[in-house]
Amino acid sequence: MLFAALRLNRKLKEKDEADPRTENNTKEGIKKEKKPKKEEAEHPVTTKKKSKEEIEAAKALKIKKREEEEQQRWRWWEEDKYEDGVKWKFLEHRGPFFPPEYQHLPDNVNFYYNGKVVKLGLAAEEVALFFAQMLDHEYTTKDVFRNNFFKDWRKEMTLEERVLISDLNKCDFRELHTMHKEKVEARKAMSKEEKLVMKEANQKIVEEYGFCILDHHRERIGNFKIEPPGLFRGRGEHPKQGMLKKRIQSEHEWLPPAGHHWKEVRHDNTVTWLASWTENVQGSCKYVMLNPSSKLKGEKDWEKYEVARRLKSCVNGIRQQYQQDIKSKQMEIRQRAVALYFIDKLALRAGNEKEEGETADTVGCCSLRVEHITLHDLLEDKECVVEFDFLGKDCIRYYNKVPVTKRVFKNLKLFMKNKEPGDDLFDRLNTCLLNKHLSSLLPGLTAKVFRTFNASITLQEQLQQLSNMTDKPAEKLLSYNRANRAVAVLCNHQRVPPKTFDQSMANLQSKIDGRREQLALAKSELKLAKKEVKAHSSDSKLQAVVERKKKAVQRCEEQLMKMEVQATNREENKQIALGTSKLNYLDPRISVAWCKNMEVPLDKIYNKSQRDKFAWAVDMTGADFLF
DNA sequence: AGGGGAACTTAGCAAGGCGCAG
DNA sequence: CTGCGCCTTGCTAAGTTCCCCT
């Protein structure tokens, strides 16, 4: 079967589902290598002593595999680009993978309403289970969530069910909840063999659905699995939290024309998605797209950094201009200039308008409101300080106290004059206006390019400043992480500290303490040994002892240093997420060049999938690269 | 000239697998 | 060898931008 880009509709019939659990003995390729090894490990037929050789062999195999992979890699960056807009010439794929249909609960698991067992129909029961599964999540205690859920749930009920079930508080989902928890436990408790079977079944699905052929090359698909139905979980105070996210496919029988599984098969090669559908909660489109390692994504990524580098070469002029524009007679231009100042200096997002009541109340630069900033003529010994406090993307709080120029400060006062806290700070500005202006300054320039540019240039500068060739490997890595961290702070990439943070920090600390004692001991032993040597002039045996002790001290020191660096790094990273900037904002060529210059292996910086994503950069970048 | 939708990037969280210390 | 913490991976929500339509 050959599909071009496919467009689906949730009303359509489910595609023939290949049962992942069917027996199939024809395992090929990669799996063949893996399987026997594992079995050997479980049933050590011969001696364990072999393990060293085995490890060596495994290493060699890994290297060989890596090389093979490297040889097979599509070096699209060495090819000519297509004419504008064309994304591919040939595309073949299997269509997306659909989640399994819902099966009725076992007879002994009951839902109760008002204390009495109620056997729900398939539709209502499925939705009830969504709620039951989340019972120990905070979500289910929130009014908005509960109300939205209940409203949507009732829509799935039969008339009788709807008549009966009128109050969520009288619903008892506990048995469903327990069943779900048991299922999770059972999955965890599966034996190694069972887990392996599951893994292989999943592999099979990936093999079948997870790839497409694009212009004669096999490319990994990013999200080939259709999102299963469930309850919508927005972030922050989302007005739609708890609503039912419906199953993508046919609950409506009136479709589709016989023999056609898809709403429409489109052959549109100006587009990068393989399939799309409309999601019912927000009414937006969702897409099946390729993996970040694909040509389509990689090429775009590369281009993104090239635009950012172009900005680098003209950013001084642009900065001068917006400083000038702040004095403009036209209010619109002054607002634009101040907004751009923030975007450039603070790496704020553009800030599109959002429909009220449809999403959580978050803002970016252009959508800042008066209530989001406080002006301080003097704060902590600094003049003209702007205090920002607002919720940005994903409801992550942005809090920052920033000294600004007098001009900017005066303008902000002006913009805020006679306004209510809820009014727009930049009432004459929106992202469209701003971006139009930007693209007139430099083709391809938009607000978000500043984020990319400032992130990447910060990394480069920080790496330059922080790293020393003479440092130990662990120290070099700490420097890299610190540079990365500076970017994450700039971009406000946060995370909630892991639940186990304090504990694991304490554990590490006690390990450090232990090692310190060990070091002290080793040192005193060394001293003693040296004394011995002196006392008995140069006895060669004693000399050897000294050497040994010296080595021990050295080893101890190294390990201690390593752990201390690790502790510092972890502490500094407590609330900061490095991944997002690494993956989306930092030109990978900066990191590749740094690794070459510092003689740090690349895989200390990038894991496998990151190396795949940035293969183009890894391949083309020399030590002399400058962003 | 602005509203809305399509297309694509950016985002944090949670589960689970994997590696490492004890 | 095993238990545990960390990292990777998957998931999907939430942004940005562009373009078309009115």
Side-chain angles (χ1 to χ4, degrees), chain A residues 229-423:
Chain A
L231 302 184
F232 176 78
R233 307 153 83 132
R235 313 234 165 99
E237 294 305 314
H238 197 116
K240 297 195 170 187
Q241 64 189 100
M243 286 173 71
L244 174 63
K245 192 172 78 167
K246 292 188 177 170
R247 184 177 288 272
I248 309 303
Q249 52 118 30
S250 70
E251 63 284 19
H252 302 91
E253 309 288 347
W254 45 269
L255 313 138
H260 290 254
H261 289 294
W262 315 102
K263 180 186 178 195
E264 183 194 340
V265 177
R266 292 206 333 203
H267 189 88
D268 179 355
N269 71 356
T270 68
V271 117
T272 66
W273 49 266
L274 308 185
S276 80
W277 71 93
T278 304
E279 163 268 358
N280 67 297
V281 175
Q282 323 232 45
S284 58
C285 284
K286 297 236 177 177
Y287 301 90
V288 172
M289 286 188 187
L290 296 185
N291 195 66
S293 63
S294 63
K295 174 198 175 185
L296 252 29
K297 294 287 182 189
E299 212 167 46
K300 221 29 196 327
D301 211 34
W302 182 17
E303 176 60 19
K304 173 180 77 184
Y305 291 114
E306 287 309 309
V307 176
R309 291 174 84 197
R310 265 176 256 146
L311 172 59
K312 187 197 175 197
S313 63
C314 65
V315 74
N316 286 333
I318 291 175
R319 283 173 176 160
Q320 267 174 27
Q321 187 180 349
Y322 70 66
Q323 294 289 358
Q324 288 299 313
D325 284 349
I326 292 176
K327 293 187 283 191
S328 165
K329 289 203 178 85
Q330 280 175 269
M331 189 53 131
E332 185 194 312
I333 295 179
R334 289 159 84 122
Q335 292 197 352
R336 194 181 69 195
V338 172
L340 192 47
Y341 172 86
F342 285 160
I343 284 172
D344 185 20
K345 188 181 168 81
L346 305 174
L348 300 189
R349 295 188 186 84
N352 285 296
E353 300 103 293
K354 304 163 68 183
E355 217 174 318
E356 216 172 311
E358 294 292 301
T359 59
D361 178 21
T362 62
V363 297
C365 186
C366 293
S367 50
L368 279 171
R369 299 191 296 262
V370 170
E371 61 196 326
H372 295 131
I373 65 170
T374 314
L375 302 182
H376 304 277
D377 294 302
L378 193 70
L379 183 72
E380 293 156 8
D381 291 337
K382 284 174 197 141
E383 288 184 358
C384 301
V385 174
V386 186
E387 185 181 355
F388 291 84
D389 192 353
F390 62 88
L391 295 182
K393 182 178 178 180
D394 291 308
C395 285
I396 299 295
R397 185 182 179 203
Y398 184 90
Y399 184 78
N400 202 357
K401 288 178 276 194
V402 193
V404 300
T405 63
K406 285 217 165 71
R407 251 187 250 160
V408 167
F409 199 74
K410 257 171 73 183
N411 269 285
L412 287 171
K413 276 189 173 168
L414 184 70
F415 301 161
M416 291 164 83
K417 218 164 151 187
N418 301 323
K419 281 187 191 167
E420 300 291 315
D423 291 344

Side-chain angles (χ1 to χ4, degrees), chain A residues 60-125:
Chain A
L61 199 78
K62 235 182 184 174
I63 292 169
K64 208 175 149 195
K65 230 171 110 186
R66 223 195 237 195
E67 276 169 5
E68 256 171 45
E69 240 182 68
E70 210 42 59
Q71 293 227 317
Q72 281 181 17
R73 198 189 293 284
W74 179 14
R75 303 158 71 85
W76 49 260
W77 50 90
E78 289 173 353
E79 293 176 12
D80 291 336
K81 288 185 182 159
Y82 287 145
E83 60 266 44
D84 235 17
V86 174
K87 304 288 168 54
W88 46 265
K89 304 250 160 128
F90 178 87
L91 176 63
E92 186 180 24
H93 64 96
R94 177 76 168 77
F97 181 80
F98 288 88
E101 286 297 331
Y102 178 70
Q103 308 284 333
H104 250 309
L105 291 173
D107 273 338
N108 61 337
V109 178
N110 287 312
F111 164 75
Y112 298 85
Y113 187 74
N114 218 358
K116 288 192 200 95
V117 174
V118 177
K119 286 284 169 202
L120 295 169
L122 203 65
E125 187 187 273

Side-chain angles (χ1 to χ4, degrees), chain A residues 1 14-18 94 98 209 261-262:
Chain A
M1 263 248 220
E14 184 173 342
K15 187 86 183 83
D16 44 323
E17 82 236 61
R94 177 76 168 77
F98 288 88
Y209 291 89
H261 289 294
W262 315 102

Side-chain angles (χ1 to χ4, degrees), chain A residues 134-143 145-146 233 237 241:
Chain A
M134 301 171 75
L135 230 44
D136 26 86
H137 199 286
E138 207 214 325
Y139 272 116
T140 53
T141 63
K142 289 188 180 177
D143 280 344
F145 190 95
R146 294 174 69 86
R233 307 153 83 132
E237 294 305 314
Q241 64 189 100

